[in-house]
Amino acid sequence: MELLDNLALGFSTALLVQNVLYCFLGVLLGTAVGVLPGIGPTATVAMLLPITFSFEPVTALIMLAGIYYGAQYGGSTTAILINLPGESSAAVTALDGHAMARQGRAGAALAAAAVGSFIAGTVATVALAVAAPPLARVALEFGPAEYFSLVLLGLIVSIALARGSALKALAMIALGVLFGTVGQDIYTGTPRFVFEQRELYGGIDFVSVAVGMFGVAEILRNLENEQTRTAIVGRVKNLWPTREDRRRIVGPIARGTGLGAALGVLPGGGHVLASFTSYAVEKRISKRKEEFGNGAIEGVAGPESANNAAAQTSFIPLLTLGLPAHPVMALMVGAFIVHGITPGPNVITDEPELFWGLIASMWIGNVLLVLLNLPLIGVWVRMLRIPYQVLFPMIILFAAIGTYSLGFNAYDVYAIVFFGILGYVLIKCGCEPAPLLLGFVLGPLVEENLRRALIISRGDPSVFLTRPISAVLLALAAAALLIAVLPAIRKRREVVFAEDE
């Protein structure tokens, strides 16, 4: 009954007119950036973050969350129709989705993606509502030693799941942690790495890092690799799958939902890993293996379900432990903090309207996405005809104005330029910027809890091994690090993410 009462509170909050409006705006923007290659939800959330500071906290988070899971829907539309994934996790959808479109079955592919996404999103939202409260109660028992071990585990798992070289991912996390230490020491107030620059005494601004690394750097990369994007979209017919199609997608949707819900909580690219894993599972167990890559509807329904389930459950570690599973969740941490809310287990008790309102809004957002995506397919794909030379100046101007408005300090705009160039250089060197942002957010947490645990234990480092939960988490971290460097696992990671590259 307590769960039902909490959900009633959530829906009473989420169904307020302004919250429904901003939920709709969020999923609309999310679908748009999912359709347009080269922008993505991370850059969009980073650039819109400054605008939401004047909103009520629950309204701001509902909108930002809508952008994220809306992008998971939007990415599949162009992947199916023109073989151009708008979002990284939609790359695997293009394999069979576009083949179906060439066979005149684009309607069935789009419907399978939409139905699978809606069912998976709904189930994952229920899983979030059920799993989050008990996990938060467990997290309340955590001390500094446990939090240090947990954050360290998250950083190491993100290395294991990162695309490309594990060594480069480790270097990016180390660089992010280094940037996170800039400013005054948290206990003594001693300036660190400020180079006599007054603006650095308060640390590097999170929004500047995010907008530069994921906004400006991506724009520079896309300008270098600009492709002619043309789309001829005919009338999509037969948007409802046949009885045979419905029979074939039931199993993949169920399996994809389960895989996505489980993998979504992992640090790094959980939603990307979920979609590729689902495709591999469906291909392995199918009796029609020859159809995969040539228009198997299971290859659309499974990955899209996994992708959207993972997008929802990635909120579990954020809302219960205060730990981001990937860069978009790191941006959500920034949104919590800016609105004066500390993300973690206390959110459920201190801000119940926000916690349950955000969860309820996810179901409302999933309904809005189904209503938005199928009827407006032609509109979304025609957006690809907008020249990138028109889009990118508007995006950069919008980002600069939003960041400047935070503190009316030109230094923040200079920081965007610096991190944009740095991000572009790192991308050219084959380094993923996502681990850097995770290191930047989680690095100060590692330092704070490490020092706090050592202060409490009077400098005895064995405290991390004598406390059972901390010892188990450290053992898992060591196992994850070992797995990441094993040659067989490393080779498997390269195969899994090959399509995404």
Side-chain angles (χ1 to χ4, degrees):
M1 288 301 294
E2 183 183 359
L3 178 61
L4 294 178
D5 291 340
N6 288 329
L7 287 175
L9 172 65
F11 277 105
S12 66
T13 302
L15 288 171
L16 293 174
V17 174
Q18 71 268 25
N19 290 339
V20 173
L21 177 63
Y22 281 104
C23 181
F24 175 79
L25 182 60
V27 297
L28 184 69
L29 285 170
T31 302
V33 301
V35 165
L36 290 171
I39 300 179
T42 306
T44 306
V45 171
M47 290 184 285
L48 291 179
L49 192 58
I51 294 174
T52 65
F53 293 166
S54 61
F55 297 174
E56 287 294 318
V58 64
T59 304
L61 291 166
I62 283 173
M63 177 180 166
L64 294 175
I67 292 171
Y68 173 53
Y69 56 80
Q72 311 307 314
Y73 270 78
S76 64
T77 301
T78 45
I80 290 169
L81 291 179
I82 59 174
N83 199 27
L84 191 63
E87 221 279 321
S88 58
S89 53
V92 71
T93 304
L95 297 177
D96 286 284
H98 187 60
M100 291 180 67
R102 291 200 309 268
Q103 297 164 11
R105 302 188 64 223
L110 290 164
V115 170
S117 297
F118 175 74
I119 293 173
T122 301
V123 172
T125 302
V126 173
L128 172 58
V130 172
L135 188 57
R137 284 193 289 270
V138 172
L140 288 172
E141 304 299 321
F142 280 23
E146 286 82 3
Y147 263 110
F148 166 78
S149 301
L150 180 65
V151 176
L152 187 64
L153 171 63
L155 287 173
I156 291 176
V157 172
S158 70
I159 294 170
L161 296 180
R163 285 169 284 175
S165 167
L167 184 61
K168 289 181 178 178
L170 176 61
M172 288 299 95
I173 284 179
L175 184 59
V177 171
L178 183 64
F179 282 130
T181 61
V182 172
Q184 292 177 300
D185 185 279
I186 54 176
Y187 289 107
T188 66
T190 305
R192 302 183 300 189
F193 308 117
V194 296
F195 304 104
E196 298 182 357
Q197 297 295 313
R198 179 177 56 84
E199 290 85 355
L200 289 177
Y201 273 67
I204 298 173
D205 185 65
F206 172 79
V207 175
S208 298
V209 176
V211 172
M213 296 294 293
F214 290 94
V216 176
E218 279 296 308
I219 287 170
L220 293 174
R221 185 178 66 83
N222 287 324
L223 285 174
E224 180 184 7
N225 300 318
E226 176 63 7
Q227 299 172 352
T228 304
R229 295 179 295 173
T230 58
I232 302 172
V233 184
R235 185 176 181 82
V236 178
K237 301 177 180 178
N238 303 320
L239 276 173
W240 191 246
T242 64
R243 180 178 296 181
E244 173 64 13
D245 287 337
R246 292 197 297 272
R247 185 188 65 78
R248 290 176 60 177
I249 65 175
V250 170
I253 289 175
R255 288 185 289 270
T257 300
L259 279 170
L263 295 174
V265 300
L266 296 177
H271 61 300
V272 179
L273 184 65
S275 61
F276 279 85
T277 303
S278 173
Y279 187 85
V281 167
E282 294 307 320
K283 186 174 182 179
R284 183 178 295 270
I285 67 174
S286 177
K287 296 178 181 178
R288 304 181 177 90
K289 289 183 174 61
E290 69 282 354
E291 289 188 20
F292 280 79
N294 297 305
I297 197 168
E298 296 92 340
V300 175
E304 280 301 304
S305 301
N307 171 24
N308 283 272
Q312 311 282 9
T313 57
S314 62
F315 283 87
I316 291 177
L318 171 69
L319 294 175
T320 58
L321 303 171
L323 299 178
H326 50 74
V328 175
M329 293 299 110
L331 292 166
M332 296 291 284
V333 169
F336 271 99
I337 293 171
V338 165
H339 285 285
I341 300 168
T342 302
N346 289 317
V347 172
I348 297 180
T349 53
D350 296 346
E351 302 284 345
E353 291 88 357
L354 184 149
F355 180 86
W356 295 104
L358 180 60
I359 290 176
S361 74
M362 292 179 186
W363 189 83
I364 296 170
N366 274 287
V367 173
L368 291 173
L369 281 165
V370 172
L371 298 177
L372 269 175
N373 273 262
L374 293 180
L376 300 178
I377 287 165
V379 174
W380 298 125
V381 182
R382 286 186 180 92
M383 286 178 61
L384 291 167
R385 293 176 178 167
I386 301 174
Y388 200 68
Q389 291 85 348
V390 174
L391 276 178
F392 87 82
M394 296 170 58
I395 294 170
I396 290 181
L397 177 65
F398 192 65
I401 292 173
T403 306
Y404 179 76
S405 68
L406 291 179
F408 296 100
N409 189 344
Y411 188 84
D412 293 334
V413 180
Y414 301 150
I416 290 177
V417 176
F418 171 78
F419 283 104
I421 295 172
L422 176 64
Y424 175 72
V425 171
L426 292 174
I427 291 171
K428 294 297 290 181
C429 293
C431 298
E432 280 287 315
L436 186 148
L437 189 63
L438 289 176
F440 182 77
V441 172
L442 296 179
L445 286 175
V446 170
E447 180 193 12
E448 181 181 354
N449 286 291
L450 172 65
R451 295 174 67 176
R452 187 180 295 170
L454 290 174
I455 289 171
I456 293 172
S457 67
R458 299 184 178 183
D460 183 8
S462 66
V463 66
F464 299 106
L465 299 176
T466 55
R467 295 178 69 92
I469 296 177
S470 175
V472 169
L473 292 171
L474 285 177
L476 291 173
L481 187 59
L482 180 64
I483 289 171
V485 299
L486 286 176
I489 300 296
R490 191 164 65 242
K491 184 177 180 180
R492 181 62 184 161
R493 285 167 64 253
E494 292 169 0
V495 171
V496 167
F497 289 113
E499 288 293 338
D500 189 38
E501 299 295 338

